[in-house]
């Protein structure tokens, strides 16, 4: 265990700009939602699609899933701050709600067990996104309360120990030595 964080200031500043984090979340959500919607449309077609259409749908699903995987991998290896988690939670809730609305429209237009299952799974993702947002907001609120506490030194618990004259910085009684002897020179400072 070390006293230093695992990231240098240069790494955090270069790799964690708010603009980059938001764009990664948007790319991941757009890719994932797009892939799911295309797959849903493909699977709910009443008849077999032409070969070119199946290839196009398959390629677009792979592209969307790839972008989503890239965003997840990139965000997983970088630290996310509390405000970033709240932003990601709001984006996830928004996009999963839109995906659920489109899934419900498909289920109404083409009734059957598969569109209904897709709509129910989309509703579950909305619930998960809402839970993630709630936890992110609660964590940010706790961290903000800590920051407010640290900003006011009078609220610190027993803050006298952290100043130069506190007991933590005083020498123990067995370490105290006279500052001079009869000759007027200082005694050696090594161990006795």
């Amino acid at each position: 265990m070390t006293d230093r964080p695992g990231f240098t200031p240069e790494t955090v500043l270069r790799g964690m700009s708010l603009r980059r984090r938001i764009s990664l979340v948007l790319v991941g959500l757009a890719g994932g939602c797009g892939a799911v919607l295309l797959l849903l449309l493909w699977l709910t077609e009443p008849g077999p699609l032409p070969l070119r259409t199946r290839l196009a749908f398959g390629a677009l699903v792979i592209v969307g899933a790839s972008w989503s995987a890239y965003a997840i991998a990139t965000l997983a290896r970088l630290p996310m701050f509390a405000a970033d988690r709240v932003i990601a939670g709001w984006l996830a809730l928004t996009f999963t709600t839109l995906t659920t609305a489109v899934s419900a429209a498909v289920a109404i237009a083409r009734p059957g067990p598969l569109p209904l299952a897709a709509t129910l799974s989309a509703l579950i993702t909305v619930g998960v996104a809402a839970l993630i947002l709630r936890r992110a907001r609660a964590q940010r609120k706790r961290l903000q309360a800590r920051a407010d506490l640290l900003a006011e030194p009078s609220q610190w618990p027993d803050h006298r120990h952290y100043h130069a004259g506190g007991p933590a910085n005083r020498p123990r009684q067995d370490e105290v030595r006279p500052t001079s002897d009869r000759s007027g020179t200082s005694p050696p400072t090594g161990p006795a």
Side-chain angles (χ1 to χ4, degrees):
M1 190 172 194
T2 66
D3 293 341
R4 310 188 97 202
F7 294 95
T8 64
E10 294 80 22
T11 303
V12 172
L13 291 174
R14 183 181 69 243
M16 292 304 296
S17 71
L18 180 61
R19 184 176 182 179
R20 181 162 189 250
R21 287 187 299 265
I22 289 175
S23 66
L24 282 171
V25 170
L26 288 173
V27 163
L29 288 172
C33 292
V36 167
L37 288 175
L38 282 172
L39 192 59
L40 177 64
L41 287 173
W42 188 4
L43 294 175
T44 57
E45 283 297 314
L49 294 172
L51 178 62
R52 288 183 301 174
T53 307
R54 286 184 293 191
L55 290 175
F57 271 36
L60 289 172
V61 167
I62 290 171
V63 167
S66 299
W67 276 109
S68 185
Y70 164 75
I72 290 169
T74 303
L75 289 171
R77 65 185 159 85
L78 296 174
M80 287 189 74
F81 301 111
D84 303 327
R85 291 177 188 209
V86 172
I87 292 168
W90 275 114
L91 289 172
L93 184 61
T94 301
F95 282 112
T96 55
T97 303
L98 291 173
T99 303
T100 303
V102 171
S103 297
V106 169
I108 291 169
R110 299 186 185 230
L114 190 59
L116 181 62
T119 302
L120 290 176
S121 67
L123 282 172
I124 291 170
T125 61
V126 169
V128 170
L131 180 65
I132 289 171
L133 175 61
R134 182 177 176 199
R135 289 181 66 202
R137 291 180 71 187
Q139 182 183 12
R140 185 173 188 274
K141 187 176 181 180
R142 282 192 303 272
L143 290 173
Q144 189 62 47
R146 284 184 187 173
D148 293 343
L149 181 70
L150 291 174
E152 184 58 44
S154 65
Q155 300 292 322
W156 293 354
D158 203 10
H159 62 278
R160 296 176 308 225
H161 295 285
Y162 301 107
H163 296 296
N169 293 325
R170 291 187 190 144
R172 293 190 321 239
Q173 189 62 28
D174 60 343
E175 293 177 349
V176 176
R177 296 181 179 211
T179 55
S180 64
D181 61 4
R182 286 186 207 165
S183 65
T185 61
S186 297
T189 58

